Amino acid sequence: MNGDDLAGRPPAPTGPLEPWPDTVRWQPISRDLIWVELIRLGILLGVALVVLGVAWAVAGLWLFGVALGVALLLAAWRAITIVRAVRAWGYAERPDDLLVRHGLLVRRLSIVPYSRMQFVDVSAGPLERAFDLATVQLHTAAAASDARVPGLRPAEASRLRDRLTALGEDRAEGL
């Protein structure tokens, strides 16, 4: 046993690039969010390609052709990162706070104490509704500390919203 085990504290993360605590049970988000994000990317790419294609046809400048190629390469790269980014999302409910993790290159771990939550919002745009998904947004007094959990099934989003709201009210009463 090392000193951390004797003190009853969990082991520290393995380094600054590994902020995910191993002592919690992470809940993944739905992989269907990959399709939602890929469709959004496709719509954006379609608009960009039409604009660049028309500009190339009208102006005849080779620079627009290069821009078309760059847009296609960037879209392919973004499609790959979307898949990996969705897999990086996760959340964990602990007794006093909610942990939300995401990010590939820049990993982010948000810890939102239940007592600091002001309200919890559930939203679902047209694409999310088409794939039976919703996003839970947590709002705190500090705007920079707001966290969101996308890609949840509506039943899970409602359960999480209700639980977070109840826990937030309970913790706030003790202040």
Side-chain angles (χ1 to χ4, degrees), residues 5 20 23 74 80 82 85 89 114 121 123 141-142 146 152 161 165:
D5 293 334
W20 315 146
T23 57
L74 289 175
I80 292 167
I82 284 172
W89 275 96
Y114 299 134
D121 187 26
S123 63
D146 290 355
L152 298 176
R161 177 202 59 214
T165 302

Side-chain angles (χ1 to χ4, degrees), residues 14-88:
T14 59
L17 298 179
E18 297 296 331
W20 315 146
D22 292 332
T23 57
V24 297
R25 189 170 147 248
W26 292 102
Q27 300 295 321
I29 62 172
S30 174
R31 300 291 186 242
D32 286 344
L33 186 61
I34 293 170
W35 291 110
V36 171
E37 294 299 326
L38 288 174
I39 291 170
R40 284 183 183 148
L41 176 64
I43 292 169
L44 180 65
L45 179 63
V47 169
L49 291 179
V50 166
V51 169
L52 289 171
V54 168
W56 190 16
V58 170
L61 295 175
W62 62 270
L63 192 57
F64 288 113
V66 171
L68 274 168
V70 169
L72 287 171
L73 285 175
L74 289 175
W77 173 79
R78 180 63 185 137
I80 292 167
T81 61
I82 284 172
V83 173
R84 296 197 59 217
V86 167
R87 290 182 179 156

Side-chain angles (χ1 to χ4, degrees), residues 108-165:
R108 182 174 179 151
L109 174 65
S110 299
I111 302 171
V112 182
Y114 299 134
S115 61
R116 300 290 184 187
M117 287 188 306
Q118 291 185 328
F119 68 96
V120 181
D121 187 26
V122 176
S123 63
L127 275 175
E128 288 89 356
R129 286 193 311 270
F131 284 87
D132 197 32
L133 298 175
T135 297
V136 173
Q137 177 83 35
L138 296 93
H139 300 274
T140 62
S145 65
D146 290 355
R148 70 184 186 99
V149 183
L152 298 176
R153 297 290 174 206
E156 173 62 8
S158 295
R159 183 205 64 81
L160 186 60
R161 177 202 59 214
D162 294 344
R163 182 170 190 278
L164 294 175
T165 302

